[in-house]
Amino acid sequence: MALIGAGFIGSVHAENLAAHPGVEFVGVYDVDAARSTDLATRNLTRAIDLDAAFAPSEVDAVLIASSTDTHADHLRRAATSGLAVLCEKPIDLDLHHAIDVVGEVGTTGRPMMVDFNRRFDRDYAELHHAVRAGEIGTVELVQMTTRGPVLPPLDYVAVSGGQMRDQTVHFFDLARWITGEDPVSVFAAGSVFTDPRMTELGDVDTSAVILRMPTGTLVQIDSTRRIGYGYDERIEVLGSTGMIEAGRQRVGSVTRYRAGSLVTDGMHPGWFERVAPTYRSALDHFVSALDSGTPIGPTLPEALAAQAIAEAATRSLRSGGPETITYPALSTATI
């Protein structure tokens, strides 16, 4: 495997590639040659040029972790080269462009996966299995929470696509995956409590979203960019015969009992500390599926479906009312 992108998330993937027993990590490419050389040296591989990253004689698969605006071009080149792909989300910030790209690369038949890494969280995977096995009966209400510790830099926010496309989209994907349904409509409301310049960027830092499923199931998602107690995400699913919850994860499980008070360990300081293991698990799924020829996912069409929900939610933030979700034909994937 070759890695494209030597930024923060590229460095995360580099460590996982270097440590994976089923991967020969052949090299790193980045537009910044010094950065790729540094990352390659730290992970006992080499800096390579873009041609080498897509050379089918040397590479079986490529991991795309470069800037969002390059994902589409790299996906096209990987498809042309006959390579398997593990790509950071999104395929492209523009849904119509993403649809075109998926239509082009999907004809190659090569395995291509989008790294919606929350699916590989151990607790969420167990919750998904229990719900889909019918352990709590018919799903009626889902509550999801995604709360970050600090507002990202505004220069990042400006190119992120907004909270629905950048942060909440992970939970749109989880909502489909857990319930096995594609929501038909979405209502989103948002506010700005941190930096007033967020409003100038057309974004919010705090939002509440309601998805309505075809069966009537409701999914509530609250998303916050800045909280004062660490990083917090959790999921609760209420069914007709019971409830299942993947709760908050603290840094430890020690509780001190004192007169009149309980003192417990706090939350992870940031999103990465909470979800770091999911990147390793996602890579392991990708490699294992390539080795065994078993189905791989989340697929490109599944990523399009999550993005279509995010687009409708963004429209709802602006319109102030519910919006119907229109799915591209290419997003009709098995959930």
Side-chain angles (χ1 to χ4, degrees), residues 8-9 18 49 55 61 71 80 93 103 110 117 138 158 162 176 183 190 218 222 242 253 274 290 302 330 335:
F8 169 74
I9 203 63
D49 61 25
H71 290 183
T80 301
L93 276 176
R110 294 297 292 149
N117 57 301
T138 302
R176 296 181 66 251
L218 298 176
D222 70 84
S253 56
R274 165 64 176 80
L290 290 184
E302 288 179 294
L330 290 169
I335 305 172

Side-chain angles (χ1 to χ4, degrees), residues 89-294:
K89 63 88 182 169
I91 297 164
D92 190 84
L93 276 176
D94 184 284
L95 178 59
H96 298 294
H97 188 208
I99 293 168
D100 290 342
V101 172
V102 174
E104 292 174 31
V105 306
T107 60
T108 66
R110 294 297 292 149
M112 295 191 176
M113 171 178 156
V114 176
D115 197 7
F116 275 112
N117 57 301
R118 298 305 198 283
R119 290 196 189 194
F120 300 93
D121 179 273
R122 186 190 66 81
D123 292 352
Y124 295 166
E126 184 175 343
L127 180 145
H128 163 265
H129 176 75
V131 170
R132 299 293 283 271
E135 289 187 19
I136 59 170
T138 302
V139 175
E140 298 174 349
L141 182 67
V142 182
Q143 175 65 55
M144 298 176 155
T145 290
T146 168
R147 300 175 183 171
V150 294
L151 182 70
L154 289 183
D155 57 353
Y156 170 82
V157 172
V159 298
S160 70
Q163 191 176 51
M164 297 298 106
R165 298 185 184 101
D166 178 51
Q167 180 182 7
T168 317
V169 69
H170 282 283
F171 287 78
F172 294 149
D173 177 68
L174 287 173
R176 296 181 66 251
W177 184 59
I178 291 167
T179 65
E181 294 191 79
D182 280 318
V184 295
S185 66
V186 58
F187 173 73
S191 297
V192 173
F193 293 110
T194 54
D195 191 319
R197 289 175 293 177
M198 288 284 288
T199 303
E200 298 171 14
L201 294 173
D203 200 4
V204 297
D205 55 42
T206 305
S207 62
V209 172
I210 298 177
L211 303 174
R212 179 177 289 276
M213 300 302 192
T215 57
T217 297
L218 298 176
V219 179
Q220 305 175 90
I221 308 172
D222 70 84
S223 304
T224 304
R225 288 289 200 183
R226 182 267 297 138
I227 56 175
Y229 59 90
Y231 182 77
D232 183 4
E233 66 176 59
R234 56 190 186 273
I235 299 174
E236 176 185 289
V237 183
L238 177 66
S240 56
T241 62
M243 189 268 283
I244 186 166
E245 178 185 26
R248 290 183 171 100
Q249 287 191 12
R250 296 181 172 87
V251 295
S253 56
V254 174
T255 302
R256 293 171 172 81
Y257 292 78
R258 296 169 180 167
S261 69
L262 300 177
V263 181
T264 65
D265 292 315
M267 311 299 290
H268 290 283
W271 68 272
F272 179 71
E273 290 83 355
R274 165 64 176 80
V275 304
T278 65
Y279 287 101
R280 294 190 291 272
S281 298
L283 176 63
D284 189 56
H285 165 75
F286 179 75
V287 173
S288 297
L290 290 184
D291 282 343
S292 63
T294 53

Side-chain angles (χ1 to χ4, degrees), residues 24-42:
E24 180 187 350
F25 187 13
V26 299
V28 180
Y29 167 78
D30 192 272
V31 291
D32 183 334
R35 190 163 64 174
S36 59
T37 298
D38 177 64
L39 185 61
T41 301
R42 286 188 280 120

Side-chain angles (χ1 to χ4, degrees), residues 44-90:
L44 304 179
T45 187
R46 60 195 176 96
I48 56 177
D49 61 25
L50 200 56
D51 289 338
F54 290 105
S57 60
E58 302 291 334
V59 178
D60 299 305
V62 63
L63 199 161
I64 300 172
S66 49
S67 60
T68 296
D69 59 346
T70 66
H71 290 183
D73 287 340
H74 292 327
L75 272 169
R76 285 192 179 100
R77 186 161 183 184
T80 301
S81 301
L83 304 179
V85 179
L86 174 56
C87 184
E88 276 295 318
K89 63 88 182 169

